[in-house]
Amino acid sequence: MLEGLLALFSSSGLGALVGMFGSWLTKREERKDQQFRLTYELKMATLRKQEAELQYNHELALADKQILRADTEGRINRDIAETAAFKDGLKEQSQTYGMWFVDAIRGLMRPLITVYLLILATFVTLNISRHLGGVGALSPVDLMVLYKEAIAQMLFLTTTAVTWWFGSRPSSSRCASPESAR
């Protein structure tokens, strides 16, 4: 046994112990190094993922802005086209044919159509009222509904008439071209 202990403390035995201890230290350092590298790779992967998400969100926001811009440009182009069509319509409407009776007929069409429709609506309303027994045959609830509907229709007709008669009349400032305004 003493020989075994002496052999253990001899150069070869001591070398084996030092070798095992050195091997254990090397493995421990390799594990720490590997743990450090893995932690580093995990943090880098997380950063790359966050960067990719930020890039994706940026591209998505940019695409939304481009869609909004295209929509706005489309509405502007539509408004420009509608304005040009309105201007062309005003030019065509203001033209005269040089024959007094043709120009007179053209000028009387709106008033004649308006008077005709008013007479027709009055005639139909009076005949329906006469056949149903007049306003007295209606219940108070029906009268209130009729009253509200009449007011709504009168406001609509007033707005339509004002827009039709005055909105389609060319004004000198509205029809003036940019070249003639200079």
Side-chain angles (χ1 to χ4, degrees):
M1 184 161 241
L2 192 57
E3 278 179 31
L5 281 175
L6 282 177
L8 188 63
F9 288 111
S10 69
S11 64
S12 61
L14 189 59
L17 281 177
V18 170
M20 283 178 29
F21 182 72
S23 178
W24 176 78
L25 283 177
T26 304
K27 292 287 184 189
R28 191 179 95 181
E29 288 302 315
E30 286 176 357
R31 277 194 305 272
K32 283 184 179 181
D33 185 51
Q34 187 175 13
Q35 184 180 8
F36 176 76
R37 277 189 278 121
L38 291 176
T39 303
Y40 173 80
E41 288 298 323
L42 178 64
K43 286 181 181 178
M44 290 305 293
T46 304
L47 288 174
R48 283 191 293 270
K49 180 183 174 193
Q50 289 174 350
E51 183 181 350
E53 287 174 354
L54 287 174
Q55 181 67 26
Y56 174 76
N57 290 338
H58 175 72
E59 290 173 0
L60 190 60
L62 184 61
D64 286 343
K65 295 296 182 189
Q66 288 173 339
I67 289 170
L68 183 62
R69 179 181 176 187
D71 182 55
T72 302
E73 287 175 351
R75 280 189 272 125
I76 289 170
N77 289 337
R78 184 196 64 220
D79 290 347
I80 289 171
E82 286 177 356
T83 303
F86 181 72
K87 185 178 176 183
D88 291 343
L90 288 177
K91 282 181 186 176
E92 185 177 318
Q93 186 180 19
S94 66
Q95 290 178 351
T96 58
Y97 293 99
M99 294 185 272
W100 69 271
F101 63 93
V102 173
D103 291 334
I105 291 173
R106 264 186 85 212
L108 287 175
M109 286 313 293
R110 284 184 181 181
L112 288 176
I113 290 172
T114 303
V115 169
Y116 171 74
L117 290 174
L118 288 172
I119 290 171
L120 184 65
T122 302
F123 176 75
V124 169
T125 303
L126 288 176
N127 278 326
I128 290 173
S129 177
R130 188 173 41 107
H131 286 303
L132 293 177
V135 176
L138 297 174
S139 70
V141 173
D142 290 337
L143 281 174
M144 183 58 73
V145 170
L146 182 64
Y147 179 69
K148 288 179 180 178
E149 184 65 26
I151 289 174
Q153 290 300 324
M154 282 187 273
L155 289 173
F156 171 75
L157 290 173
T158 302
T159 302
T160 303
V162 168
T163 303
W164 187 25
W165 283 104
F166 298 106
S168 66
R169 300 289 189 247
S171 69
S172 59
S173 65
R174 213 173 42 183
C175 290
S177 64
E179 293 82 25
S180 63
R182 292 182 193 155

